[in-house]
Amino acid sequence: SHKEPQLGHVVVQLDVSGSITADLMRKYVSHVEQVVGAANPQKITILWTDTQVKRTQVIEWPEPCEIDHFISQGGTNMEYGFKWVEENEMEDPAVFICITDGYTNFTKAPSFPVIWCIDGEEGHVVPPYGTTIYINNYK
């Protein structure tokens, strides 16, 4: 029996730039599945982004949160995902979660809340906006 959704629309962006290995992607995906599974959103949009959104996946409640595995090996611009959301979604997501090693531009905060999950030592990259969580148990 599925519990009712606790959150509206959650966007999860995965950095698939050249610095991300298949092994790291597996770890990222399992982390997201746990976190997002616990939050139980109505809808989850997954974006795989390097310098552009290369692939998307939508999971709607009550489907299980099972995320595809995909890596691209391009450059990095995580803000491209914000642009994608602004162009493709009718309304702002409840939250935008971005998992990245942090080697990206930070120019302008979007109109919705952002949580950065940065893989690396605490403080090695400090985004100027949003909430930052450091995940460095994956090395």
Side-chain angles (χ1 to χ4, degrees):
S1 68
H2 282 280
K3 58 188 200 298
E4 286 297 303
Q6 303 298 306
L7 260 181
H9 180 201
V10 173
V11 178
V12 176
Q13 175 167 263
L14 297 163
D15 179 344
V16 290
S17 61
S19 49
I20 309 299
T21 63
D23 184 48
L24 206 49
M25 181 52 65
R26 269 194 300 280
K27 290 171 176 166
Y28 284 177
V29 164
S30 72
H31 194 68
V32 171
E33 287 174 348
Q34 287 168 8
V35 170
V36 173
N40 203 30
Q42 185 80 43
K43 176 179 159 189
I44 307 159
T45 302
I46 316 290
L47 307 178
W48 286 266
T49 306
D50 49 24
T51 51
Q52 54 183 319
V53 175
K54 284 287 168 75
R55 184 168 171 183
T56 64
Q57 179 188 1
V58 176
I59 300 168
E60 300 214 40
W61 185 87
E63 291 169 45
C65 181
E66 288 174 4
I67 298 171
D68 298 339
H69 289 251
F70 172 78
I71 52 176
S72 158
Q73 306 291 303
T76 315
N77 183 357
M78 293 297 98
E79 291 188 331
Y80 206 89
F82 305 158
K83 187 168 169 235
W84 186 94
V85 168
E86 283 157 5
E87 289 171 0
N88 291 277
E89 297 292 342
M90 298 304 290
E91 55 186 50
D92 285 354
V95 65
F96 185 109
I97 300 167
C98 182
I99 302 191
T100 176
D101 57 13
Y103 296 106
T104 181
N105 299 347
F106 298 102
T107 53
K108 186 172 178 294
S111 54
F112 37 82
V114 180
I115 297 174
W116 299 100
C117 294
I118 294 187
D119 191 6
E121 294 303 315
E122 182 144 358
H124 92 109
V125 174
V126 182
Y129 59 85
T131 302
T132 305
I133 298 166
Y134 295 93
I135 49 172
N136 52 12
N137 48 338
Y138 292 150
K139 291 282 176 261

